Structure formats: C-alpha cells, structure tokens
Amino acid sequence: MQVTETLNSGLKREIKVTVPADDMEAKLMARLSEAKDKVRINGFRPGKVPVQHLRKVYGKSFMAEVVNEILNDSRSIITGRGEKAAMQPEVIMTEDEKEAEKTLAGGADFEFSLNYEVIPAIEIKDFSDVKVTRPVYDVPESEIEEQVKRIAESTRSFEPKDGAAAEGDRVTIDYVGKIDGEAFAGGAGSDQPLVLGSKEFIPGFEDQLVGAKAGEEKTITVTFPEEYQAPHLAGKEATFDVTIKEVAKPGELEINDETAKALGLDSLDKLREIVRGQIESQFGSMTRQKVKRQLLDQLDAAYKFEAPSKLVDAEFNNIWNQVNRDLQAAGRTFADEETTEEEAREEYTRLAERRVRLGLVLAEIGEKAGVTVADEELQRSLFEQVRRFPANQQQEVFEFYRSNPEALNTLRAPLFEEKVIDHLLGQVSVTDNKVSKEELMAEDDEAEGEKKAKPAKKAAAKKAEEKPAEEAADEPKKKAAPKKKAAAKDAE
C-alpha cells in the first residue's frame, strides 16, 4: 500500500492511497481459498471446487468485499501516519465505471483518496496554578424540618365543612380553562383536590377561591407567566369556569413515626435522613456546576488552538436547530429576542468552537490520565435513559442503543467528561467558601463561560446539567394550567 499526501493546509489533509493490483489479487485469492471448503456448487464435491471456477462465480463480489474492508479500515491508515481524524474521513473514488470494473476484475491498482481534518496536537499544561473556589451551603436543620413538614402534608386529613373556604382549606373542584372563549387542550379537570395556599396552580388561581362555598360556580381570570413552559399559553390571559364541589378543613398535622409509615418508611428518622440526602444532593449539584464552570473557563483561557471545522459545524448545527425549534415553539423571532439572525449565528459559532475545543482538551487530559468508563457505569446510564420512556417503548429504546454504537457514545461521553472533571479537581487548588442559599442559587452571568442564548433561553445553548437543582425540583409545580398535571402536560 502506497500513501501519498496531496494536501496539508492547517488541519486539512488529503492523502492518495494506492493498493497495487498484486496485493489486491493476493487478498482475493486468500478469500477464495477460505471459501473453497464452504461453498456448495452443483457438479462439484465439497472442497473440490477449482479456485478459478470460484473466481468466475464469486470473483467480483469477493473483490468488492476486499475493497470495502480496505475502506472501512481507512482510519488505521491515518493512524499509521501518526494522526487522529476529527471525523470519519471522506472517501473519494473514481466515478469511471470502466476503471471500477477493471479494479474489481483484478486488472488494475485500487486507488482512492481520503479527505479529512486532523485533531491538533494538544500539549497538556501544568494544573498547579489553576485555582477554583467551591461555594458550599450548609443546610440548616430548620430547612430539613420544613421539607419534612411539606412532605408530611400529604398525609394530613381533611373534614368537610360548611361555610367559606379559607387559606389552608382543601377544595374539590371541576374546571374548564378557556382562552378567548375557546377551551384549550389540557385545561380541564374534574374532582380535583386543591389545598388553598399550596401554590400548586398558576399564580392568582388559588387566591380567587378563598371565600368560595360548596356548590358555587365561579369564573376565575388569570394570566400565564411569560416563561410558562407551554409556549402557546405563555403570557396569555385565560378564564377558568370553576365548580366548587366540596370545602374541607385540615385536621391536625402530626409528624411522627406513624406519619413516616404512612409514607412507606420505617420511621421519622428515616424520613429525615432521606430528605437531608435529597436536599444536600440538590445543592451539591449546584456547587459542582459552579466549580465546573470556573474550571472550564480557565481551561478555555489556557488552550487556544484551531478547532476542526467539521466538528464545529456539527456542534453549531445542533445548537442552531435547537434555537430555531425553541423560537418556533414560542412563536417568537430573533427580533423579539433583541438580536438578529446574523448576530445569533456569530454568537453560536463562538459557542460551538468553545465546546469543541474544550471537548478535545478534556479528551486529551482523560486519555493521558487513563480515565475510562467502565461497562457497568455505561450500563447504569443506559438503564436510566431507558426508564425515561413509557414502559411499552423501553425495550425498543434499549435495543436501539445496544445496536447503535454512536448513540451509545452519547451516553458514554458525559460520563467520561465528569470523570475527567473529577480527575482535574484532584489536581487543582480548590478552596471552600461558605455561602448563603441565595448566593449559591444565584445564576452566573455566563454559564461555563458561555453567553446565555438570547433566542433560546431555556435550552438551546445551555446544557441541561447547568440548570440549578432546585429550579429543576420546582418545575413540576409550574407546569399546570391550572394544575401541574393539566394544561402543560398536553400542551407540551
């Protein structure tokens, strides 16, 4: 095999590969000899078919297989040059049918070219000068007890009462939501229990039920929040025709072992332990993201090199497609977001370049450090992903990932990245800083050094993992119109 470089410009490469006809012939004869004892041809005993007859029958198809094997192994040709291709190389072959036929017949050298970009050499720098501050929030016992109380509320008993509903009472209602006089999907419910003051419904809904009595019918007017998750409802005024079917007063709330048992736990201490773990995990995730942002910002400042354009293009397309989906779903334009399409493209191109560059740096650091993702870790991630789908789709999703290496790699990549981050945090200087809850929850002006997406504030250029844990925990309470399992569930 002869390899000749025909282009070397920046990260772009093109090489011409020539496999002599004699080598192709040798590969073909080896394949024919291997098939001799396996094929069955009428008129010949097993293993006695002449090679030349086999060649006449299977020569072209076997030679096509040889060609495909060589092409499929093209990355090893690049590796043999001491290079790493950023993406699968583009294969350029003759389009002349006669030349192709001659190659398949074994009468000509097999020639093709590989067009690709290389991953630039990255020299890993010393991390001793890298310093990050880890914001730490010590969760007070009072916050644990408040959450225990909120959870225990689900076990509180209610007794029907006469008279007007007050804050803390439970009303049972039927409702139909309308916009411009027309009922909207997901905006209706029946026999729906609602504790007034629980803030389960959109702002303003519960307040208008204070003073209502069983048997009454009321029309409530509310306005959906501007950032409501169902874009077609966001910011719109809606009316709800509500029938109050029952008003019930709360019984005394008891928080003890029996309460915990009603929740399926052994004891009140166990409930407190679980609550503490959940809260500390939420704030711990927020702490990690802030530390990670600092770390990535410093890596971004330290490593400046040309990123492979095809990787950047692929990353940009992912971001840009999401941006446009979000805009379309929200019924908004770039002008509504105080930008232009051209400015947005420039911003997201910079974002794509940063992500690609940081991805290459983290990959190199991880490789040098021997970071790997164990099969068990990948398996757990796969199961977690599968469980997000309805039960009747889980097997299909599981098989899709198991049979699609590229899809499986989308699960492996974030696991690898987090392990590299763990490795780095063991190498750099980390200083703990006690902060308040408000300080920890305050969003940074930039996420991982990236400007927030103007036309896609929710998701496009901001990774899901960057969302504060408490915000994610509160989301289910904000998804309803009026309740968390009503309008938004169907609208989204």
Side-chain angles (χ1 to χ4, degrees):
M1 181 182 296
Q2 299 171 353
V3 179
T4 306
E5 185 174 79
T6 56
L7 174 65
N8 186 328
S9 176
L11 300 180
K12 298 182 186 300
R13 301 286 186 274
E14 185 173 282
I15 57 176
K16 180 180 179 181
V17 181
T18 302
V19 184
D22 290 345
D23 292 351
M24 298 293 288
E25 178 73 12
K27 291 178 181 292
L28 173 62
M29 294 306 294
R31 188 174 290 272
L32 290 170
S33 296
E34 182 182 346
K36 182 178 179 181
D37 296 330
K38 300 177 181 178
V39 299
R40 295 290 184 267
I41 296 179
N42 292 335
F44 296 94
R45 288 181 296 167
K48 299 299 182 181
V49 182
V51 171
Q52 288 306 316
H53 187 71
L54 279 177
R55 181 177 187 135
K56 181 179 178 180
V57 177
Y58 297 109
K60 286 188 178 181
S61 62
F62 280 7
M63 185 66 89
E65 292 178 4
V66 169
V67 167
N68 285 331
E69 283 184 359
I70 294 172
L71 295 177
N72 290 335
D73 198 34
S74 58
R75 275 188 179 269
S76 68
I77 300 173
I78 297 170
T79 303
R81 288 168 46 84
E83 297 174 332
K84 292 182 181 178
M87 297 183 71
Q88 186 68 26
E90 177 189 2
V91 178
I92 304 170
M93 299 171 56
T94 180
E95 295 183 0
D96 188 302
E97 292 186 9
K98 290 184 178 180
E99 288 185 19
E101 283 291 328
K102 194 173 181 180
T103 299
L104 291 177
D109 297 342
F110 174 42
E111 295 182 344
F112 62 97
S113 294
L114 297 177
N115 194 318
Y116 59 98
E117 284 184 293
V118 297
I119 293 177
I122 302 173
E123 183 179 349
I124 301 304
K125 302 179 181 180
D126 182 33
F127 301 117
S128 60
D129 292 335
V130 178
K131 298 179 181 180
V132 297
T133 300
R134 179 164 48 205
V136 179
Y137 171 59
D138 290 332
V139 183
E141 288 298 323
S142 59
E143 191 162 342
I144 305 296
E145 291 305 314
E146 286 176 12
Q147 182 63 15
V148 168
K149 183 178 179 181
R150 282 197 291 270
I151 294 173
E153 283 286 351
S154 64
T155 67
R156 187 196 288 270
S157 61
F158 287 84
E159 297 180 4
K161 77 169 192 179
D162 295 325
E167 187 93 357
D169 285 349
R170 185 185 71 191
V171 295
T172 302
I173 59 175
D174 293 345
Y175 60 85
V176 176
K178 300 177 182 178
I179 293 179
D180 296 331
E182 296 291 331
F184 57 88
S190 59
D191 293 325
Q192 180 67 63
L194 171 63
V195 177
L196 302 184
S198 63
K199 299 181 180 179
E200 289 189 37
F201 284 32
I202 59 177
F205 189 95
E206 296 172 27
D207 297 341
Q208 297 178 59
L209 289 177
V210 173
K213 298 179 180 180
E216 282 190 19
E217 295 182 356
K218 293 177 67 72
T219 297
I220 288 175
T221 301
V222 294
T223 300
F224 285 94
E226 290 291 339
E227 296 298 320
Y228 195 66
Q229 291 193 348
H232 68 289
L233 300 177
K236 293 189 177 180
E237 184 177 90
T239 60
F240 286 88
D241 297 331
V242 182
T243 300
I244 297 87
K245 303 178 77 172
E246 180 186 77
V247 177
K249 64 181 180 179
E252 183 179 352
L253 178 64
E254 296 183 353
I255 302 178
N256 50 32
D257 287 344
E258 293 305 313
T259 304
K261 289 177 181 178
L263 294 167
L265 301 172
D266 295 335
S267 65
L268 179 58
D269 286 342
K270 185 63 176 177
L271 173 58
R272 288 192 176 109
E273 177 188 334
I274 291 174
V275 168
R276 176 182 293 280
Q278 291 176 337
I279 292 178
E280 289 180 345
S281 176
Q282 289 175 358
F283 288 118
S285 295
M286 296 167 69
T287 291
R288 181 178 177 85
Q289 284 308 314
K290 287 181 178 288
V291 169
K292 183 178 177 181
R293 290 171 190 174
Q294 296 176 51
L295 186 57
L296 292 180
D297 280 347
Q298 293 184 63
L299 290 177
D300 184 42
Y303 293 89
K304 296 296 184 182
F305 54 84
E306 181 186 0
S309 62
K310 290 186 178 180
L311 288 179
V312 173
D313 289 345
E315 181 64 25
F316 171 82
N317 288 334
N318 288 336
I319 298 171
W320 191 248
N321 290 338
Q322 183 63 57
V323 166
N324 282 280
R325 282 195 296 268
D326 288 351
L327 281 175
Q328 185 176 11
R332 297 177 70 84
T333 66
F334 288 105
D336 294 329
E337 301 295 340
E338 300 178 357
T339 188
T340 64
E341 181 173 342
E342 183 180 358
E343 290 174 344
R345 279 184 174 276
E346 291 177 358
E347 180 178 340
Y348 293 128
T349 297
R350 290 193 297 270
L351 174 56
E353 289 171 348
R354 170 190 162 95
R355 288 187 177 179
V356 169
R357 201 166 50 246
L358 285 174
L360 294 176
V361 170
L362 291 175
E364 187 69 16
I365 292 172
E367 183 177 335
K368 291 275 196 306
V371 174
T372 59
V373 176
D375 290 342
E376 312 87 78
E377 295 172 306
L378 187 60
Q379 193 80 348
R380 282 197 298 271
S381 179
L382 175 57
F383 288 146
E384 289 171 6
Q385 180 74 3
V386 168
R387 280 197 292 267
R388 297 175 184 175
F389 290 82
N392 62 342
Q393 297 178 17
Q394 290 182 359
Q395 185 60 37
E396 181 181 351
V397 173
F398 181 79
E399 292 300 330
F400 168 75
Y401 277 99
R402 290 296 297 271
S403 60
N404 191 329
E406 289 188 6
L408 198 59
N409 195 51
T410 63
L411 301 181
R412 185 190 303 275
L415 295 175
F416 178 81
E417 178 176 303
E418 290 307 313
K419 295 185 79 169
V420 175
I421 294 297
D422 287 337
H423 166 75
L424 284 171
L425 291 177
Q427 305 292 312
V428 306
S429 173
V430 181
T431 303
D432 286 349
N433 178 38
K434 301 287 186 180
V435 298
S436 67
K437 180 179 178 180
E438 291 71 26
E439 288 173 320
L440 180 61
M441 293 180 63
E443 288 195 25
D444 298 335
D445 289 337
E446 295 182 351
E448 292 191 4
E450 303 169 356
K451 288 187 177 181
K452 288 184 182 178
K454 292 180 183 177
K457 296 177 181 176
K458 291 183 181 177
K462 188 175 181 182
K463 296 178 183 177
E465 65 185 9
E466 291 170 357
K467 183 180 292 182
E470 184 145 315
E471 178 185 332
D474 286 344
E475 266 187 4
K477 299 176 184 176
K478 302 174 183 175
K479 283 189 177 180
K483 194 167 188 294
K484 62 185 177 183
K485 292 183 180 178
K489 180 178 180 182
D490 291 341
E492 293 177 340

